[in-house]
């Protein structure tokens, strides 16, 4: 019972309120004064439970909207030759890139040697391991992983385009985070961070 009170307090209030009102009706003939008090208590309990439920739903909806806003990733812009990527609320730079005709979200990681695709994304895009390259051991934020190397036909975002780009596909982890690494960034004329913006400049 104590566990129910802790986990479902609104349900407990509603049950006791209904029981109080029902008891009031049952003893109306023999104890009219007590019956009236029980009914009023029951009605007030039901009203309180209803108001608390509405407040809880409103709070949950507000928290959900706040969570969506918190994790919203601002869109990049193109100004002249520069692709400008704003810092997301999680402290990282993200872009939505088109890979072999499909859009995927990528984390730009200047500490990553290779651009990476999750296993599911690689399978859906038809990225096959290069038989001429042995699996590699790569150092990541989550430790050392084993990855096979494949190739994508084209990866595009903003005014950046890389063709025939080698990508790493992890084999011993289900992490599906796509990463843009230094093998793409090194193809650019320049890249730099200014305040909360990452500025990428392609070669002519």
């Amino acid at each position: 019972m104590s566990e129910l009170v802790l986990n479902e307090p609104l349900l407990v209030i509603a049950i006791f309120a209904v029981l109080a009102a029902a008891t009031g009706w049952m003893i109306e003939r023999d104890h009219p004064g007590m019956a009236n008090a029980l009914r009023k208590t029951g009605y007030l309990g039901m009203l309180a439970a209803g108001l608390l439920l509405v407040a809880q739903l409103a709070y949950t909806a507000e928290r959900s909207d706040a969570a969506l806003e918190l994790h919203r990733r601002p869109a990049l812009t193109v100004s002249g030759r520069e692709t400008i990527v704003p810092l997301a609320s999680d402290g990282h730079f993200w872009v939505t890139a088109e890979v072999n005709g499909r859009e995927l979200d990528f984390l730009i990681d200047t500490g990553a040697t290779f651009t990476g695709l999750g296993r599911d994304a690689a399978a859906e895009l038809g990225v096959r391991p290069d038989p001429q390259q042995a699996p590699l051991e790569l150092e990541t934020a989550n430790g050392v992983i084993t990855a096979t190397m494949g190739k994508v036909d084209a990866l595009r975002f903003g005014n950046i385009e890389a063709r025939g780009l080698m990508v790493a596909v992890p084999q011993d982890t289900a992490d599906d985070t796509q990463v843009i690494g230094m093998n793409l960034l090194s193809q650019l004329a320049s890249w730099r961070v200014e305040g909360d913006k990452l500025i990428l400049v392609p070669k002519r």
Side-chain angles (χ1 to χ4, degrees):
M1 183 63 180
S2 60
E3 185 176 347
L4 179 62
V5 172
L6 291 174
N7 295 333
E8 298 290 346
L10 290 182
L11 178 60
V12 173
I13 292 172
I15 290 173
F16 276 106
V18 171
L19 289 175
T23 302
W25 284 108
M26 291 171 63
I27 64 173
E28 171 69 22
R29 178 177 298 177
D30 299 327
H31 305 282
M34 183 181 294
N36 186 48
L38 284 171
R39 287 199 302 272
K40 287 183 177 179
T41 301
Y43 297 152
L44 286 174
M46 285 185 275
L47 177 62
L51 291 175
L52 288 172
L53 177 60
V54 171
Q56 185 181 65
L57 292 174
Y59 177 74
T60 301
E62 184 178 347
R63 289 291 298 275
S64 297
D65 291 342
L68 287 173
E69 186 65 30
L70 179 65
H71 292 93
R72 187 169 294 167
R73 295 165 184 167
L76 62 79
T77 58
V78 176
S79 177
R81 295 184 58 233
E82 296 180 341
T83 290
I84 303 170
V85 183
L87 187 70
S89 57
D90 63 0
H92 297 288
F93 294 105
W94 292 86
V95 295
T96 299
E98 182 181 299
V99 185
N100 291 0
R102 179 188 167 187
E103 288 190 344
L104 294 171
D105 289 332
F106 281 82
L107 168 68
I108 299 180
D109 184 357
T110 58
T113 304
F114 296 102
T115 297
L117 288 178
R119 283 185 299 179
D120 291 344
E124 292 176 11
L125 293 170
V127 177
R128 308 298 181 194
D130 185 344
Q132 297 182 350
Q133 290 206 34
L136 303 177
E137 288 192 346
L138 302 177
E139 186 77 35
T140 72
N142 297 320
V144 177
I145 65 169
T146 300
T148 58
M149 299 301 297
K151 183 183 293 186
V152 297
D153 297 330
L155 187 154
R156 304 182 184 90
F157 63 94
N159 64 354
I160 307 298
E161 179 177 10
R163 290 187 170 275
L165 182 70
M166 297 301 297
V167 295
V169 181
Q171 298 302 299
D172 49 5
T173 175
D175 186 0
D176 60 355
T177 302
Q178 274 68 238
V179 174
I180 288 177
M182 286 305 301
N183 69 323
L184 187 153
L185 297 178
S186 63
Q187 297 182 24
L188 305 178
S190 67
W191 62 270
R192 65 189 187 276
V193 176
E194 291 186 0
D196 60 353
K197 295 179 175 63
L198 174 64
I199 300 173
L200 311 172
V201 182
K203 292 180 180 178
R204 293 185 180 276

